[in-house]
Amino acid sequence: MGSSRLPFIAAQEDMFPKFVALIQVKNGTPIVGLSTMGTLATFWVWPIDIGGLIKYVGFLSWAWWGMCFFAVPLLRYTMPGHPRTFKVFLPVTGFAIMASLYLTIGQFVASPVPCLGWLAVVAAGVPIYYGFVDPDNTCRTWMAWLLSKLSKLLKAEL
C-alpha cells in the first residue's frame, strides 16, 4: 500500500501522467497508483521468479529508508530551530538505522552482483532526473550534449 504512493506523488509532481494521481473517493486510496505498481510488479516478475523482485524491493527500500532514518538526527542537530510536526525519540531512529544497515549490508554480502546491478539501475535515474525532470534545468545542456552524441553514435534522429 505504501508503494502506491510513489506513482501517486510522481503524478502530482508531473513526473508521471496526471491520471495516476486519481484517488478513490470513498476510501481515499490512490487506486490508479496501486494498479500501476501492481502492473509494473507483474511485468518485472513475469520472466523471472518472485524471489528476485522481493530481494530487489527489500534491498533498495531498506537502503532508502535507512537514509531517511539517518536524516532525522542529522536534521535535528543541524537545524535545531526548524519547526517540526512531531519529534521522534532518538533511540528509536538509532535502532531503525541499525536495522536498515543490517538488512542492506547483509543482502549485499549475501549476493553482491545483483545488488550492484540494482544500484546501477538507480544510479541511471540520476542523469535522467537532472536532464529531463529537474525544474531548475541544472543539467539540461549536459543532457542535450549527451543525447546529440548518442544520436550520432546510433545514427538516430531526435
Side-chain angles (χ1 to χ4, degrees):
M1 178 76 173
S3 295
S4 65
R5 306 261 183 237
L6 297 175
F8 170 72
I9 297 298
Q12 286 183 332
E13 298 287 327
D14 292 329
M15 295 178 197
F16 254 46
K18 279 288 188 192
F19 73 89
V20 179
L22 296 174
I23 294 182
Q24 199 270 338
V25 178
K26 182 179 175 189
N27 297 322
T29 306
I31 193 71
V32 179
L34 279 168
S35 302
T36 302
M37 290 305 287
T39 303
L40 288 173
T42 302
F43 177 73
W44 288 331
V45 171
W46 198 273
I48 58 170
D49 64 325
I50 188 85
L53 180 66
I54 291 170
K55 288 179 182 178
Y56 164 74
V57 171
F59 175 76
L60 290 178
S61 294
W62 277 106
W64 295 125
W65 291 337
M67 287 186 254
C68 291
F69 297 145
F70 180 72
V72 172
L74 179 72
L75 292 175
R76 186 172 296 176
Y77 290 114
T78 58
M79 304 169 87
H82 194 73
R84 289 165 174 67
T85 307
F86 60 91
K87 284 190 176 182
V88 178
F89 188 51
L90 282 180
V92 172
T93 58
F95 176 75
I97 291 168
M98 298 303 285
S100 64
L101 283 173
Y102 173 75
L103 291 169
T104 53
I105 292 172
Q107 179 68 28
F108 193 82
V109 169
S111 53
V113 174
C115 291
L116 287 173
W118 300 329
L119 290 173
V121 169
V122 171
V126 173
I128 292 170
Y129 172 79
Y130 282 112
F132 297 108
V133 180
D134 181 29
D136 298 330
N137 297 326
T138 312
C139 296
R140 186 77 55 171
T141 56
W142 172 79
M143 201 62 168
W145 175 83
L146 181 66
L147 283 175
S148 69
K149 295 293 183 188
L150 187 62
S151 65
K152 286 179 185 177
L153 177 71
L154 298 175
K155 296 179 176 44
E157 301 255 342
L158 293 175

